[in-house]
């Protein structure tokens, strides 16, 4: 557990433990000890009140992020490769999956920087390195959130209106372009220091937007980015998935009533079989959304506590763990598809036999793809 010196303002002063009366020796250093005066703005006074962690913390995070980097690059590159080159998977709906994988890869660009920073025990590249690191995190984080909302919208349209509700390629491309526009304002503004700024956090080896400066501009910025990148996408996602579940319940009730009138056990058509595949894909999308929620809710909570709550709760380790959760999701996403997505599993079975995947063939995939192809041509 890292101790905190509440008397520290601009540098390491005398430290006395609240309960034990412990005074650190001269060999013990506070966070920011290796940051020269010309770069002191990178370290908020809040972090200077904590004793610098042992080297094992930095080495531990470096090892974890190295493993996550490999998982992310292998998994997401595999998703982009297969979804882009496999004809049955080149559909409008799967364009969102490729876009999400791209955002995940952008997040992985942070990881080599963090590994190097961990061994240096400071942010590599100082202000420039901090800005680059934070830009990658801003683009990928907000991109993941709004892309999950787009996937929820697509699943709702595809399953609720399977005949005339599917998005075509042009519509999907417009929505994807919108997701990239969505990440722009709260990436460019702090980068140019027009509103907000990027700064170090936690162990001072990672960077994000400033949520600790005590002024009105920072508080409004934190609240705005919280609503923009978390609340609004989450609202869309909850709405579309709730409408999707309602549509499924209505469809199943209609089938039961119709079967009862016709005095048959069930009414299952080829369209319903295709619908079951789409439902399975929807479950994959919902799983990824749930993981996104678990990953980014702690980070959003940390930011809100920093701006409006009790900052004594924010220790270097407690702020590093939510960032670790967020990056873990970008590595898990592609493997969720490998486990659950039926058509993706079929392609993996053909191209990567060493994985030992056995996915039964579906006879209606070609019809489904042909339907989307016709819709795209008509558009």
């Amino acid at each position: 557990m890292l101790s905190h010196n509440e008397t520290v303002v601009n540098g390491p002063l005398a430290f006395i433990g609240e309960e034990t009366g412990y005074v650190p020796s001269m060999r013990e250093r506070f966070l920011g000890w290796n940051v020269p005066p010309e770069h002191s703005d990178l370290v908020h006074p809040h972090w200077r009140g904590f004793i610098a962690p042992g080297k094992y913390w930095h080495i531990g995070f470096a090892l974890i992020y190295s493993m996550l980097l490999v998982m992310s690059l292998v998994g997401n590159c595999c998703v982009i490769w297969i979804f882009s080159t496999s004809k049955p998977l080149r559909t409008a709906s799967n364009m969102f999956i490729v876009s999400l994988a791209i955002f995940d890869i952008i997040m992985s660009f942070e990881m080599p920087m963090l590994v190097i920073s961990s061994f240096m025990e400071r942010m590599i590249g100082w202000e420039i390195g901090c800005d680059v690191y934070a830009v990658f995190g801003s683009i990928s984080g907000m991109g993941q959130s709004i892309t999950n909302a787009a996937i929820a919208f697509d699943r709702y349209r595809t399953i609720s209106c399977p005949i005339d509700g599917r998005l075509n390629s042009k519509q999907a491309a417009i929505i994807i372009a919108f997701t990239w526009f969505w990440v722009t304002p709260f990436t460019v503004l702090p980068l140019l220091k027009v509103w907000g700024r990027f700064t170090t956090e936690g162990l001072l080896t990672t960077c994000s937007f400033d949520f600790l400066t005590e002024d009105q501009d920072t508080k409004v910025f934190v609240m705005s980015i919280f609503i923009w990148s978390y609340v609004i996408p989450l609202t869309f996602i909850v709405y579309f998935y709730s409408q999707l579940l309602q549509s499924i319940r209505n469809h199943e009730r209609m089938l039961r009533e119709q079967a009862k009138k016709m005095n048959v056990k069930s009414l299952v058509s080829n369209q319903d079989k295709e619908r079951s595949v789409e439902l399975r894909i929807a479950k994959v999308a919902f799983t990824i959304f749930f993981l996104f929620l678990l990953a980014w809710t702690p980070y959003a909570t940390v930011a809100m506590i920093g701006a409006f709550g009790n900052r004594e709760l924010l220790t270097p380790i407690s702020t590093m763990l939510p960032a670790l959760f967020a990056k873990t999701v970008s590595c898990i996403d592609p493997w969720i598809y490998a486990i659950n997505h039926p058509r993706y599993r079929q392609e993996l079975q053909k191209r990567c036999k060493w994985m030992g995947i056995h996915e039964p063939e579906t006879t209606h995939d070609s019809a489904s793809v042909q339907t989307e192809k016709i819709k795209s041509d008509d558009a």
Side-chain angles (χ1 to χ4, degrees):
M1 187 69 181
L2 298 178
S3 300
H4 181 239
N5 178 9
E6 294 183 358
T7 65
V8 173
V9 178
N10 291 316
L13 305 178
F15 175 94
I16 300 178
E18 294 180 357
E19 299 179 357
T20 63
Y22 167 71
V23 179
S25 67
M26 293 300 293
R27 288 184 298 177
E28 292 180 308
R29 298 170 296 200
F30 290 86
L31 277 175
W33 66 270
N34 55 351
V35 178
E38 60 267 26
H39 302 295
S40 60
D41 287 344
L42 275 176
V43 184
H44 189 276
H46 174 79
W47 304 120
R48 292 189 180 274
F50 293 92
I51 292 178
K55 202 174 188 68
Y56 59 87
W57 281 106
H58 293 286
I59 295 175
F61 277 111
L63 292 175
I64 292 173
Y65 277 99
S66 295
M67 291 186 290
L68 293 179
L69 175 62
V70 174
M71 289 179 58
S72 178
L73 290 178
V74 171
N76 286 300
C77 287
C78 195
V79 166
I80 294 174
W81 169 49
I82 290 182
F83 277 93
S84 300
T85 59
S86 172
K87 189 174 181 180
L89 289 172
R90 285 204 303 266
T91 64
S93 294
N94 289 339
M95 291 171 64
F96 297 111
I97 296 176
V98 173
S99 180
L100 181 61
I102 293 173
F103 281 122
D104 287 342
I105 286 180
I106 291 175
M107 176 161 285
S108 71
F109 292 164
E110 291 182 324
M111 298 180 192
M113 297 182 65
L114 186 138
V115 171
I116 297 172
S117 296
S118 294
F119 285 105
M120 297 176 66
E121 298 187 40
R122 64 168 178 82
M123 191 67 217
I124 181 176
W126 303 116
E127 283 83 1
I128 294 177
C130 184
D131 286 343
V132 172
Y133 185 99
V135 165
F136 286 148
S138 177
I139 292 174
S140 57
M142 286 186 283
Q144 288 171 357
S145 66
I146 198 64
T147 301
N148 272 287
I151 290 174
F153 173 67
D154 172 71
R155 290 295 87 200
Y156 165 67
R157 288 282 300 266
T158 299
I159 297 175
S160 300
C161 310
I163 297 177
D164 58 352
R166 291 178 182 269
L167 298 174
N168 58 47
S169 297
K170 291 181 181 179
Q171 292 171 326
I174 292 173
I175 295 176
I176 290 172
F178 175 77
T179 64
W180 284 92
F181 165 77
W182 187 266
V183 308
T184 302
F186 286 95
T187 299
V188 173
L189 290 175
L191 176 64
L192 300 180
K193 295 180 175 55
V194 174
W195 189 25
R197 70 183 185 115
F198 294 133
T199 187
T200 55
E201 60 180 355
L203 300 182
L204 309 185
T205 53
T206 62
C207 284
S208 182
F209 61 89
D210 179 15
F211 51 80
L212 289 174
T213 299
E214 295 189 34
D215 59 49
Q216 195 64 25
D217 279 346
T218 300
K219 293 180 184 296
V220 175
F221 177 86
V222 172
M223 179 60 69
S224 300
I225 195 172
F226 173 73
I227 294 173
W228 182 266
S229 64
Y230 185 79
V231 175
I232 293 177
L234 183 61
T235 301
F236 283 135
I237 292 169
V238 171
Y239 172 77
F240 289 128
Y241 277 127
S242 63
Q243 291 297 306
L244 173 59
L245 293 175
Q246 183 63 42
S247 173
I248 293 171
R249 284 195 292 265
N250 293 339
H251 180 76
E252 291 177 346
R253 183 172 62 250
M254 179 192 69
L255 288 179
R256 287 195 299 269
E257 293 174 353
Q258 190 66 23
K260 187 175 181 180
K261 291 178 182 179
M262 298 176 64
N263 198 25
V264 295
K265 188 174 182 179
S266 65
L267 295 174
V268 180
S269 62
N270 288 334
Q271 184 178 346
D272 290 318
K273 291 179 181 178
E274 180 179 338
R275 183 187 178 93
S276 68
V277 174
E278 298 291 357
L279 283 173
R280 188 173 169 186
I281 297 173
K283 291 178 182 178
V284 176
F286 184 79
T287 301
I288 289 177
F289 154 66
F290 184 67
L291 289 173
F292 166 82
L293 197 63
L294 290 179
W296 286 100
T297 299
Y299 199 85
T301 302
V302 165
M304 295 302 287
I305 291 175
F308 304 101
N310 180 11
R311 297 183 178 184
E312 294 180 2
L313 300 174
L314 302 183
T315 66
I317 301 301
S318 70
T319 53
M320 288 293 289
L321 291 179
L324 177 61
F325 295 156
K327 293 180 177 53
T328 301
V329 168
S330 68
C331 306
I332 294 178
D333 282 352
W335 302 104
I336 295 296
Y337 287 112
I339 295 172
N340 295 298
H341 195 295
R343 298 167 187 170
Y344 181 61
R345 285 173 59 85
Q346 288 171 9
E347 289 299 317
L348 282 179
Q349 181 178 337
K350 295 176 184 176
R351 304 187 189 197
C352 306
K353 298 182 183 297
W354 55 270
M355 287 188 175
I357 296 175
H358 301 285
E359 179 70 22
E361 293 288 338
T362 52
T363 58
H364 52 275
D365 277 357
S366 59
S368 176
V369 174
Q370 185 64 25
T371 300
E372 289 204 7
K373 188 173 187 298
I374 292 173
K375 286 178 68 61
S376 300
D377 294 341
D378 290 343

